Amino acid sequence: MRVRVRLFAMLRHYLPDVPLGGYAEKDLPEGGTVSDLLATLGVPETEARVVFVNGRARPPDWRLQPGDEVGIFPPIGGG
Amino acid sequence: MELASTLYQSPYYEVAICATRCPLNLAETASLAEYMRETLEAHDLPRHFQARVRGPVLSHHRFKVAVAGCGVAAEYGYANAGIVYNDLKDRPTRYSGRGGLGSVMASRGLKFVVVDPLGAPGAAIADRSRFEQGRKKLEEALLEHAITKPKGGLNTYGTAILINILNEAGGLPTRNFSSGRFEGAARTAGEAIFEGNKQRLGRELYNHACSPGCIIQCSNTWHRPDGSEHVSCVEYESTWALGANCAIDSLDDIAELIRLCNAYGLDTIETGGTLGVAMEAGVIPFGDGAAAIRLVQEMGQGTPLGRLLGSGTESVGRAYGVTRVPTVKGQSMPAYEPRAVKGIGITYATSTMGADHTAGYTIAPEILGVSGKLDPLSPEGKAALSRAFQATTAFIDSTGHCLFIAFAILDIASGFEGMVEECNGVLGTNWTNDDVVRIGAEILKKERAFNEAAGIGKEKDRVPEFMKYEPLPPHDQVFDVPDVALDSVYAEL
Ligand code: SF4
């Protein structure tokens, strides 16, 4: 299955060719989880503080569906 | 003017100005120093300084000036006039932004606050080694945490690092709070600022400190295509208020809007909120950066339309008959959608200051995964969460620390301890972490009592009605926190 993924802030260098705001498409086996996607991208789980799937924060064992949009963030803060 | 008699002592020599008929649109050091010299002379102050200051007063000021509230916005009595201070490089960019404080200052005719360090004893510290121990722990936490460390999140991308995560969460108020997602968000975010500066300057640019001694250093600059500095500081709140909230996605337009706000002494949040409502009313179209710049210029020129806009978000909504007016207690909401992040909506509703995010920043656990992870769409337990954050924040604010230490000390227990030990060192107290919430709650009760005496009771602790029945895309949520939960924030304090 194919999902669309974006990396933000300090994680952007794991997908260096994706322009700002753009998605990368990634293929995963059916039933693949957030953890599997992180492994595919080479992003250590410790660096991914919050993972959104279709706009909702989801845990590492969350099973992805074809066409899901995933946004991955390191620890960030501001105000 | 009772200036000489109100001098008091402090470790810094600073001058704050809020001048009636201030001739400076944009404060700039040489003309500012000249203006100050003239004003000081008019009040026969050089004689006073000669007794205390070595060297000419003018050059003394050139290096030690901080400016506050020198804006025409305050002279016109605008509800969105802030008090603006110079940063370490004399940029007039740091604000006591909210609540129309600049107009309060100007209406009192307050021109200068002069702080003279000579002969000052500095702050009394009861137990210096305890203070140093606390300071060291806090410093270690700040240097270690991914958000606050050098070249960490804030130092690299500034507070605007938040644009993308709020957009992803569907909580970035867009087109006057009619959606939680903005298609142009990424172009206005901290990442875009960093990359844009890198392209235009040919090197990486990390952020700077806005005040002496800051370790985090989150304050940024934005540069024009030719590399010259356009403005400081493009904060999250500013790039959102003048960006997504107005559907403007050009950082150059946003930078110009911020520059004008700084020049006139306008709060960027209230100004962006006002423009959003004006766009909703059809005064100018959403997304039209050039027209937004013209409107802010009208505010600076004091045209009839400019003065109407200067009266702030709520008044402009009323004048144009707009019902989607995102305010609480007359103050425009900041950059988090209450319908998509329930806890922050509770803080907006109940804060004594009107809609304010810093008063109880539940965004940390609801969106950022700092200090736990909670579902932002759920109202469950959020009144207690907001209460705890408001009390802790009242304490941290009272220590004089920048609130951004919270990201590190909420995650790193020794950092939090360090802050409390610093206080014990200075005051000779024996507070523990538990005292933080207790003391914070006492502060909040005083603020509350003030509001109640001023006729602002719990019936004002409400979000605007449209948020209760108008579902917000993309999660199609309304603000479903019951009034009794809102009332419990202070009832159970
Ligand atoms: S962390 Fe606080 S004190 Fe430091 S630059 Fe940022 S806003 Fe200023």
Side-chain angles (χ1 to χ4, degrees), chain B residues 95-292:
Chain B
Y95 269 78
S96 297
R98 313 227 61 205
L101 270 183
S103 291
V104 177
M105 198 166 167
S107 71
R108 307 301 295 173
L110 179 56
K111 300 190 182 194
F112 287 74
V113 178
V114 181
V115 183
D116 182 351
L118 287 178
I125 297 183
D127 182 342
R128 188 164 283 279
S129 71
R130 213 165 163 204
F131 171 75
E132 284 300 329
Q133 181 185 315
R135 189 190 58 73
K136 201 157 168 287
K137 281 189 195 171
L138 177 56
E139 189 177 314
E140 278 165 9
L142 294 175
L143 290 172
E144 176 192 329
H145 197 281
I147 296 175
T148 54
K149 70 183 182 185
K151 297 201 174 178
L154 279 170
N155 184 230
T156 307
Y157 298 112
T159 54
I161 194 173
L162 290 182
I163 289 280
N164 283 315
I165 198 167
L166 264 300
N167 194 51
E168 195 72 13
L172 186 73
T174 299
R175 292 183 171 77
N176 187 35
F177 288 73
S178 60
S179 170
R181 286 240 173 96
F182 178 42
E183 65 284 359
R187 289 189 284 281
T188 66
E191 289 92 328
I193 297 170
F194 185 79
E195 305 275 328
N197 278 336
K198 187 170 157 187
Q199 209 174 30
R200 290 177 174 187
L201 294 170
R203 64 183 165 89
E204 290 186 343
L205 180 66
Y206 292 86
N207 297 329
H208 59 267
C210 80
S211 62
C214 172
I215 293 171
I216 304 171
Q217 307 198 359
C218 79
S219 185
N220 67 11
T221 48
W222 172 249
H223 295 259
R224 297 187 183 89
D226 67 3
S228 63
E229 185 178 308
H230 193 161
V231 78
S232 174
C233 169
V234 185
E235 298 278 11
Y236 169 61
E237 294 295 336
S238 307
T239 191
W240 158 78
L242 303 159
N245 192 48
C246 297
I248 293 170
D249 67 357
S250 153
L251 270 173
D252 289 318
D253 285 347
I254 292 168
E256 181 60 11
L257 287 163
I258 297 171
R259 193 189 70 80
L260 291 171
C261 285
N262 288 345
Y264 303 143
L266 291 165
D267 171 29
T268 52
I269 299 179
E270 192 71 37
T271 302
T274 303
L275 290 177
V277 169
M279 288 172 165
E280 170 110 28
V283 179
I284 57 170
F286 276 110
D288 190 339

Side-chain angles (χ1 to χ4, degrees), chain B residues 45 283 304 449 452 456:
Chain B
L45 282 170
V283 179
E452 275 166 12
I456 305 166

Side-chain angles (χ1 to χ4, degrees), chain A residues 6-10 12 20-21 23 48-52 54-57 69-79, chain B residues 147 151-154 156-157 161-162 164-165 168-169 181 186 191-192 336 357 361 368-369 373 375 377 404 407 411 475:
Chain A
R6 289 197 285 192
L7 301 179
F8 294 97
M10 302 300 174
R12 275 177 45 75
L20 277 173
Y23 286 94
R49 175 71 73 104
V50 188
V51 179
F52 289 91
N54 304 326
R56 304 293 304 274
E69 294 189 346
V70 184
I72 305 174
F73 292 85
I76 65 174
Chain B
I147 296 175
K151 297 201 174 178
L154 279 170
T156 307
Y157 298 112
I161 194 173
L162 290 182
N164 283 315
I165 198 167
E168 195 72 13
R181 286 240 173 96
E191 289 92 328
Y336 312 87
H357 57 299
Y361 196 67
L368 308 175
K373 285 191 182 180
D375 178 5
L377 302 185
F404 293 159
F407 297 112
D411 268 349
H475 296 306

